Amino acid sequence: MSADAPADPPRPRVRVTAPRHPDAGTRPPSGAVGGDPAGLYVRSLIRSQLRLAIVCAVAFIAVLIAVPLTFALVPELDAASVAGVPVSWIVLGAGLFPVLIAIAALYVRTSARNESRYRSLADDA
Amino acid sequence: MTPALGYASIAVVTVITVLIGFFGVRVSRTTSDFYVASRTVRPWLNASAIGGEYLSAASVLGVAGLILLQGERALWFPIGYTAGYLMLLLFVAAPLRRSGAYTVPDFTEARLESRTVRRLTSVLVILIGWLYIVPQLQGAALTVGITTGLPRWVGAVGVAVIVGVVVAAGGMRSITFVQAFQYWLKLTAVAAPVVFVLLLHPGTRPALGEAIAGAFPTFSIADPDVVYRSVSLLLALLLGTLGLPHVLVRFYTNPDGTAARRTTLIVLCLLSVFYLFPVAIGMLGRLFMPELAADDPDALLLLLPSAVLPSPWAEAVTALVIAGAFGAFLSTSSGLVVSLAGVVSQELFAGSVRGFRIAAALSVVVPLVVAGLTDSAGLAGSVGLVFAFTASTLCPALLLGIWWRGLTARGAVAGMATGAVACGSAILFGWIGPDGGLAGALIDQPAAWTVPLATAVMVLVSRLDARRIPRGTERFLARLHVPER
């Protein structure tokens, strides 16, 4: 490849101008990462872990908000009871814990997958 | 209640705690062993220990009492206390373990490369620890007073002395085993009354629903005061857990980041199982002892077995309950004292083992004085305020430190100071005189405005100070998030 380059001068000129334009808006102009694939992989790992954490947190908070809203909007459900215990007590006193554990388990698996993807990228580089 | 039963249970749980504490001494040899058990504790043991450390007087006595008092509204407490660990898992567990720091001040100093940040964090950790130990000692005073008839201060002094001695003698290694044992003891103590009452009174369940429906008729969401208080409380509990020093110090004992996550997941399961029972006890209290709500709701767990169960069972379950409650004060206080002593000794005594011992003694004396001067006003509520304070100070610093490149030392200091002043003054005003209406709600449950305020100040000052972003930020963040081999 390096033998081809000096033999064909116009091509490098095209390749230098091409990447500058589409990247201008998306990549921060910091020099810290420039030309350093390891730093790039780390940044993308951090971004994907943060995104995952926020999605999980928002999912749980949505469930938290939905529960009292449902009971307020459907009074019959609030008045109902199962085996003598009101439904709202069962949901708040016990029902939210499995949801919590499910979200946590999902996070543990997915975050580990993000890390193994990072590992294979970093090992290839 | 017969005093002999109280004496016997307290003596037994104390002896077992001290024995495990001293048995563990043999394993701790180096200074590193002494501080964080050399980071070789397995997830199950570590998770039990975190559970044992975390389930304080507020969870064992306070939650049942609050449910007796407030009904459904109080169900947010167990949910929030547990869900705090979800937030911890999502945002803090693995990165904090990978940071390789021993204590929270170690972390902030390494991240922000500033001694000032370290000093402020240390002061906050010590304040939070003291604030958190106070209700434990008050719970001990209550328990000893009710079960033995001795003056209440005996309980507080007793717990303070036992904890001081055990921590100073054994350090963290033995504490890990003590805490793991305490979780299972506490679970048995809250489960036994529920199981025995339901077995020996088959007619309980249908009557239970009527008693609850009669006391707390509807699920109120239309009242803005209730909504604000619930949201603010939940915010405090969800985020406060992230910054609790005695919880965070446990994460350094995991072998690596992946183990830290697995440990947190197990903790979530352990807490979920535990909190089913205080809720059930609160409901049983509504049925069998509704008059206690006006009197001393925190004593519900201690009094319920002897009030409801027939003779041989009543004594056996009561003894177990007393042991579990006393275990709660011992384990949470000792966990707090370990983390406080770690911070104090590193600040003042250069981290020597002898310094750790002196610091352990210092860490129990101050809360003891405060507990003697103030009166307990609802254990779950006062612990909730400590969560609000932590959520407004250490939590934003940790979250932004782990996830945001732009954080600077000045930003962290400004944000933590703002949060501490705002939330601290709300807590002080609450002590002086609780007020009704909007102002009362803002002061009683400050987290909903102090947490965003502290975070906003932290971000804003960091932005203005962007030239002083620590030079090692990129490398440090990589270390937090890149998996170990």
Side-chain angles (χ1 to χ4, degrees):
Chain A
M1 255 174 86
S2 54
D4 289 353
D8 192 8
R11 280 188 64 178
R13 211 182 280 159
V14 175
R15 288 173 70 190
V16 167
T17 50
R20 187 178 286 165
H21 185 245
D23 270 18
T26 53
R27 188 184 290 178
S30 95
V33 182
D36 172 19
L40 209 69
Y41 294 146
V42 171
R43 275 175 179 245
S44 106
L45 170 71
I46 296 177
R47 248 199 316 277
S48 55
Q49 297 288 50
L50 183 61
R51 202 180 309 129
L52 172 66
I54 288 174
V55 164
C56 292
V58 167
F60 177 68
I61 290 165
V63 173
L64 270 191
I65 295 171
V67 168
L69 265 186
T70 312
F71 285 120
L73 296 176
V74 191
E76 306 87 64
L77 195 64
D78 193 19
S81 62
V82 173
V85 184
V87 172
S88 58
W89 280 73
I90 296 175
V91 171
L92 285 175
L96 284 177
F97 294 119
V99 177
L100 206 67
I101 293 170
I103 294 176
L106 209 69
Y107 170 81
V108 169
R109 272 185 47 192
T110 316
S111 61
R113 201 182 308 149
N114 284 345
E115 283 171 0
S116 61
R117 193 181 311 134
Y118 163 82
R119 263 199 210 108
S120 61
L121 278 173
D123 287 349
D124 288 349
Chain B
M1 189 178 293
T2 45
L5 205 60
Y7 285 124
S9 317
I10 291 173
V12 168
V13 74
T14 306
V15 167
I16 293 177
T17 303
V18 172
L19 275 183
I20 303 177
F22 280 90
F23 174 73
V25 172
R26 275 189 241 161
V27 212
S28 54
R29 294 215 173 81
T30 64
T31 307
S32 168
D33 264 347
F34 210 71
Y35 275 101
V36 289
S38 298
R39 302 174 176 162
T40 53
V41 184
R42 299 278 103 204
W44 261 100
L45 181 64
N46 208 13
S48 301
I50 292 174
E53 189 149 8
Y54 183 62
L55 295 170
S56 67
S59 300
V60 175
L61 300 181
V63 168
L66 212 63
I67 286 168
L68 174 67
L69 193 65
Q70 297 185 344
E72 255 168 314
R73 269 206 293 161
L75 290 177
W76 294 119
F77 270 96
I79 293 169
Y81 281 148
T82 312
Y85 278 89
L86 178 65
M87 299 299 149
L88 191 73
L89 169 69
L90 298 180
F91 295 104
V92 175
L96 191 72
R97 170 59 195 90
R98 286 171 183 149
S99 75
Y102 278 140
T103 62
V104 186
D106 280 349
F107 173 82
T108 53
E109 185 191 17
R111 168 68 178 79
L112 296 166
E113 300 167 15
S114 154
R115 294 286 302 170
T116 317
V117 170
R118 185 200 174 87
R119 239 167 271 134
L120 179 60
T121 319
S122 300
V123 170
L124 289 173
V125 165
I126 293 165
L127 265 178
I128 290 165
W130 281 343
L131 274 174
Y132 209 122
I133 295 174
V134 170
Q136 311 308 321
L137 298 181
Q138 286 169 338
L142 173 83
T143 305
V144 168
I146 285 179
T147 57
T148 66
L150 288 173
R152 291 199 164 190
W153 60 265
V154 176
V157 172
V159 166
V161 169
I162 295 165
V163 166
V165 169
V166 169
V167 171
M172 187 79 147
R173 180 72 194 193
S174 50
I175 277 297
T176 304
F177 293 113
V178 172
Q179 303 290 20
F181 160 73
Q182 297 282 12
Y183 169 79
W184 296 100
L185 173 67
K186 278 181 261 195
L187 180 64
T188 322
V190 292
V194 177
V195 171
F196 278 97
V197 169
L198 291 181
L199 279 181
L200 300 176
H201 292 262
T204 300
R205 259 193 306 138
L208 201 59
E210 273 171 44
I212 294 164
F216 312 106
T218 47
F219 197 95
S220 58
I221 194 177
D223 185 354
D225 187 63
V226 171
V227 172
Y228 169 80
R229 281 170 192 263
S230 305
V231 167
S232 189
L233 171 73
L234 267 176
L235 189 71
L237 298 183
L238 285 180
L239 296 178
T241 313
L242 300 188
L244 291 180
H246 64 304
V247 171
L248 292 182
V249 80
R250 284 253 144 244
F251 280 83
Y252 305 124
T253 57
N254 285 296
D256 57 28
T258 313
R261 283 200 197 109
R262 211 172 313 132
T263 302
T264 319
L265 184 59
I266 301 173
V267 173
L268 269 172
C269 299
L270 295 178
L271 293 183
S272 300
V273 171
F274 177 89
Y275 279 118
L276 297 177
F277 297 105
V279 171
I281 287 166
M283 294 164 89
L284 291 173
R286 247 310 133 188
L287 177 63
F288 290 108
M289 324 182 75
E291 71 285 349
L292 201 62
D295 196 30
D296 206 353
D298 281 338
L300 173 62
L301 175 69
L302 299 169
L303 298 176
L304 185 75
S306 54
V308 178
L309 294 172
S311 181
W313 301 111
E315 282 77 27
V317 175
T318 302
L320 195 56
V321 163
I322 297 170
F326 206 73
F329 318 136
L330 285 184
S331 54
T332 303
S333 318
S334 50
L336 284 160
V337 170
V338 166
S339 54
L340 278 191
V343 170
V344 172
S345 73
Q346 291 203 338
E347 287 300 307
L348 299 182
F349 307 106
S352 70
V353 169
R354 193 175 143 270
F356 185 85
R357 293 187 166 144
I358 300 171
L362 284 179
S363 305
V364 286
V365 170
V366 175
L368 187 60
V369 172
V370 177
L373 293 178
T374 57
D375 215 12
S376 105
L379 294 173
S382 35
V383 169
L385 282 178
V386 186
F387 277 73
F389 189 80
T390 314
S392 321
T393 52
L394 297 184
C395 162
L398 275 171
L399 282 183
L400 293 176
I402 290 173
W403 296 103
W404 188 45
R405 282 180 185 77
L407 185 67
T408 68
R410 288 183 180 187
V413 168
M416 286 194 287
T418 309
V421 170
C423 193
S425 42
I427 293 175
L428 284 181
F429 274 115
W431 278 343
I432 292 167
D435 192 9
L438 178 68
L442 290 178
I443 285 172
D444 283 350
Q445 294 292 349
W449 60 276
T450 54
V451 175
L453 178 71
T455 313
V457 169
M458 210 173 275
V459 170
L460 213 72
V461 175
S462 296
R463 277 259 184 258
L464 294 175
D465 193 35
R467 277 184 305 130
R468 288 201 188 72
I469 289 176
R471 290 166 68 191
T473 297
E474 208 67 40
R475 197 156 19 99
F476 197 82
L477 283 189
R479 181 169 163 197
L480 294 184
H481 295 282
V482 168
E484 308 82 347
R485 272 290 135 182

